[in-house]
Amino acid sequence: PVLFKEELKNVETKEGGTAVLHCEISKPDATVEWRKGGKVLEPSAKYEMKVKGSVAELIIHGVEPGDS
């Protein structure tokens, strides 16, 4: 199974800004599924997902209070 080597940490940014969340996983280039509540996030103008080796990133553009 894929495990977290480094878990998510809180990130603060100004409303309308960009937030980058990242975590490190035990298996490089594994498929990562980002969720908000029970909903799976899909790539869009607001959400960008990247995996670079063992680091997975979620980039949130146009941050709003509801993104917390």
Side-chain angles (χ1 to χ4, degrees), residues 2 4 23 25 29-34 49-51 55-57:
V2 178
F4 287 107
C23 62
I25 52 179
D29 300 315
T31 300
V32 174
E33 186 175 82
W34 292 93
M49 293 86 170
K50 296 181 179 181
V51 177
V55 176
E57 290 184 333

Side-chain angles (χ1 to χ4, degrees), residues 2-64:
V2 178
L3 304 172
F4 287 107
K5 291 175 75 175
E6 179 187 338
E7 299 210 12
L8 288 174
K9 294 180 182 167
N10 289 333
V11 174
E12 291 187 23
T13 190
K14 293 182 180 184
E15 188 172 344
T18 300
V20 180
L21 301 170
H22 72 272
C23 62
E24 187 174 356
I25 52 179
S26 61
K27 185 177 177 184
D29 300 315
T31 300
V32 174
E33 186 175 82
W34 292 93
R35 294 175 176 252
K36 180 178 177 184
K39 181 183 173 188
V40 176
L41 300 177
E42 299 291 337
S44 65
K46 183 169 182 75
Y47 300 114
E48 183 179 350
M49 293 86 170
K50 296 181 179 181
V51 177
K52 300 175 188 171
S54 61
V55 176
E57 290 184 333
L58 171 64
I59 302 162
I60 305 171
H61 301 281
V63 172
E64 302 169 305

